[in-house]
Amino acid sequence: MATVANKFLWGTASAAYQVEGGWQADGKGLSNWDVYTNRYRITVPAIGKQETGNVACNTYSRDQYLRDLGLMRELGANAYRFSISWSRILPDGTGRVNEPGLAYYSRLCDDLIAAGIEPMVTLFHWDLPQVLQEKGGWSNRQSVQWFRDYAAIVIRALGDRVDKFITFNEPFIDLFLMEPSAQNIIAGRSPNATSAQYGEQATPMHHWILASALVTEDFHKSGHHGMIGVALPLVPMKPVNPESAADRAAATLGDGLVNRWWLDAVFKGTYPADLIAVLQKHNPAFTVPEADMAVIRANPSDFLGINYYAQAYAREDALSPLGVGWMNTNPDEVKMFNGPVRPDELYNLLLRIKREYGNPPVFITENGAGFGDFDEVMQGDTVKDPLRTDYIRRHIAAALKARTDGADLRGYFCWSLLDNFEWMQGYERRFGIVHVDFATQKRTPKQSFHAYREMIASNAG
Ligand code: BGC
């Protein structure tokens, strides 16, 4: 593994579909999300209206993103995590390269570096070329090769300037929450996934893990000096009722599904047997070839990206997939969009990774919050968001404490610089430390922006 001695990274994170807009610009092909939002009005069940990422934060415009880079500089950030839109690079999913798409990201990297900001590139953050979706998407085993070819093109084009790549963002959230919900909405069913769908989704999950391992192998074989990892949505699971054996079992199974599956795969080269047995009950055809496991075992990730938002409380619930209910159990009086606010659990999680997974280099690749309009109050030339401010302060403190206590933490990325397109929730849920007026693209730094700037300044060096 290449070792890159580096300064601690302080940054913000984003994803192509959530910020870029320019959905048909310069030869870009359609992605599944272009189709979900424009053709299937996917946001309607959650927010009652159609919203799309067609314009979003308009960062496909260089004039716009240069202004946003100015904000990053003002923040004191030295890194920026963003994702690549596959359909901008390969409009047909495979084969013909769309040079203007590649040029956009190449220039973005140059502009970031000129501003003293290190680019960290996510290869896949949920937007798949629609042509590949129509060939079965990630359920099709050929997707492993599609991804490998696409990754090679991006790494070849940007690798001279990008030190850290991330193969996939949040396998569990995309494959078990977003994709089944999207398919259910399109079919006119209730958005919630079923156990049978979870069983089916084991196959694309395995394809992601295998594809990630193969791209890691290709990356090192190409002689690249940097690091390649994955960004996992890690969610510490506790039983709703610690006295109940059924709730404790639900928490263990939930931990297997959301956390242990991929962690065990990339750092131990195994899949959790308890979980696989449950998935096979719902999908007896799901088996994992030993040859695939050998590839996975031989190619661990160089670093772990942790997307941490919240802890969860799990309970036995026959109506939830695999009998594990954890989506509607948040006991907090004021509810954060992504679950119970527990900074201590971030500390515990970082020490668990150190203890159980060999203390790999870790970046917090996402951490942030949204609570609702009451925490987004425009006041003069700023926006008061005291809850988000407090959330970010406490999570950074917990992360730095874990670092002091031996976790190999190398950076922190706040989600997100800008309010942006929040998937099924459209523009209704704001996570930015900079407010965006989507009608005018006006940016207004929030209280949390100023607080994060102070934290970066006092912890830099
Ligand atoms: C995802 C982001 C999303 C954020 C806030 C993460 O699950 O990676 O795309 O916007 O959470 O919900």
Side-chain angles (χ1 to χ4, degrees):
M1 188 192 92
T3 46
V4 185
N6 244 334
K7 53 192 180 313
F8 193 84
L9 298 186
W10 291 104
T12 59
S14 70
Y17 190 71
Q18 296 183 268
V19 296
E20 285 178 0
W23 72 302
Q24 293 178 316
D26 298 338
K28 178 183 168 296
L30 288 182
S31 76
N32 57 342
W33 273 91
D34 292 320
V35 174
Y36 291 163
T37 55
N38 286 284
R39 189 184 308 161
Y40 295 111
R41 303 161 50 91
I42 207 85
T43 55
V44 171
I47 62 171
K49 59 183 165 190
Q50 179 180 22
E51 288 185 334
T52 72
N54 295 358
V55 177
C57 304
N58 195 31
T59 64
Y60 187 66
S61 146
R62 182 165 184 250
D63 288 348
Q64 179 59 65
Y65 83 60
L66 287 176
R67 288 195 287 274
D68 295 337
L69 294 199
L71 288 170
M72 291 182 204
R73 280 175 60 89
E74 199 181 318
L75 187 63
N78 61 8
Y80 176 50
R81 173 182 173 230
F82 61 94
S83 82
I84 309 277
S85 157
W86 184 337
S87 49
R88 253 189 226 298
I89 309 289
L90 294 160
D92 311 316
T94 57
R96 177 180 63 92
V97 174
N98 179 43
E99 292 300 338
L102 214 44
Y104 166 73
Y105 294 108
S106 181
R107 194 146 194 208
L108 173 61
C109 287
D110 289 342
D111 288 332
L112 282 163
I113 292 166
I117 298 170
E118 176 179 336
M120 181 189 260
V121 168
T122 309
L123 293 166
F124 187 76
H125 197 131
W126 308 355
D127 49 337
L128 186 70
Q130 175 64 11
V131 276
L132 300 183
Q133 184 85 3
E134 285 167 13
K135 291 183 181 160
W138 295 105
S139 300
N140 184 337
R141 191 167 164 110
Q142 283 181 2
S143 61
V144 174
Q145 193 57 43
W146 301 333
F147 181 68
R148 229 176 143 179
D149 294 342
Y150 154 69
I153 291 164
V154 175
I155 292 169
R156 205 177 310 125
L158 306 181
D160 56 337
R161 285 153 294 158
V162 176
D163 197 64
K164 297 173 191 71
F165 285 90
I166 290 173
T167 52
F168 288 102
N169 180 72
E170 299 198 342
F172 173 78
I173 306 291
D174 192 38
L175 295 175
F176 290 82
L177 300 183
M178 291 293 168
E179 282 302 311
S181 291
Q183 300 314 325
N184 287 342
I185 292 170
I186 289 169
R189 298 186 291 257
S190 143
N192 300 337
T194 61
S195 292
Q197 284 178 311
Y198 269 39
E200 281 165 21
Q201 289 303 95
T203 300
M205 181 73 150
H206 174 63
H207 291 158
W208 276 34
I209 295 174
L210 180 62
S212 186
L214 285 165
V215 168
T216 302
E217 181 176 32
D218 295 345
F219 181 79
H220 292 306
K221 276 200 181 142
S222 75
H224 198 286
H225 57 281
M227 304 167 96
I228 188 159
V230 60
L232 302 184
L234 297 182
V235 183
M237 293 269 173
K238 298 215 167 146
V240 168
N241 173 9
E243 307 297 316
S244 150
D247 285 5
R248 289 200 303 272
T252 303
L253 190 60
D255 179 57
L257 183 67
V258 184
N259 306 317
R260 275 184 289 125
W261 192 351
W262 198 299
L263 282 173
D264 286 6
V266 286
F267 295 117
K268 297 181 175 169
T270 58
Y271 282 180
D274 58 336
L275 171 72
I276 300 302
V278 173
L279 289 167
Q280 279 170 337
K281 263 197 244 159
H282 299 284
N283 179 5
F286 177 66
T287 52
V288 181
E290 181 42 43
D292 290 357
M293 285 317 294
V295 171
I296 292 165
R297 212 169 291 127
N299 297 288
S301 284
D302 299 333
F303 68 87
L304 172 64
I306 297 181
N307 294 359
Y308 178 82
Y309 289 88
Q311 188 217 287
Y313 293 95
R315 62 160 183 240
E316 183 189 39
D317 173 19
L319 296 179
S320 294
L322 310 187
V324 182
W326 57 285
M327 297 293 167
N328 295 308
T329 52
N330 184 353
D332 292 0
E333 205 168 304
V334 179
K335 296 199 195 314
M336 195 267 284
F337 292 141
N338 288 1
V341 176
R342 299 289 182 277
D344 288 355
E345 288 302 324
L346 173 58
Y347 172 86
N348 293 337
L349 173 65
L350 287 164
L351 290 196
R352 175 185 180 190
I353 299 299
K354 168 176 185 275
R355 207 172 48 241
E356 294 178 21
Y357 292 98
N359 207 16
V362 169
F363 294 90
I364 294 178
T365 36
E366 287 182 28
N367 174 246
F371 293 86
D373 287 349
F374 65 91
D375 198 48
E376 308 280 350
V377 180
M378 193 65 82
Q379 224 175 72
D381 59 359
T382 189
V383 170
K384 293 285 179 200
D385 57 347
L387 293 183
R388 178 180 296 108
T389 302
D390 177 64
Y391 176 102
I392 292 174
R393 276 212 179 99
R394 287 160 66 207
H395 284 77
I396 290 178
L400 293 179
K401 182 160 177 272
R403 185 170 180 242
T404 305
D405 293 347
D408 190 4
L409 179 66
R410 309 226 180 152
Y412 172 93
F413 292 77
C414 174
W415 184 275
S416 188
L417 182 74
L418 305 173
D419 294 331
N420 58 48
F421 180 79
E422 181 60 18
W423 308 111
M424 310 277 182
Q425 316 289 334
Y427 297 98
E428 293 285 289
R429 291 191 172 179
R430 294 176 181 269
F431 278 83
I433 56 175
V434 173
H435 178 274
V436 177
D437 176 338
F438 291 100
T440 61
Q441 293 297 339
K442 183 176 181 328
R443 274 57 167 155
T444 307
K446 303 180 190 177
Q447 179 187 356
S448 54
F449 174 93
H450 300 293
Y452 186 30
R453 176 168 48 76
E454 282 161 24
M455 282 180 272
I456 294 176
S458 59
N459 288 294

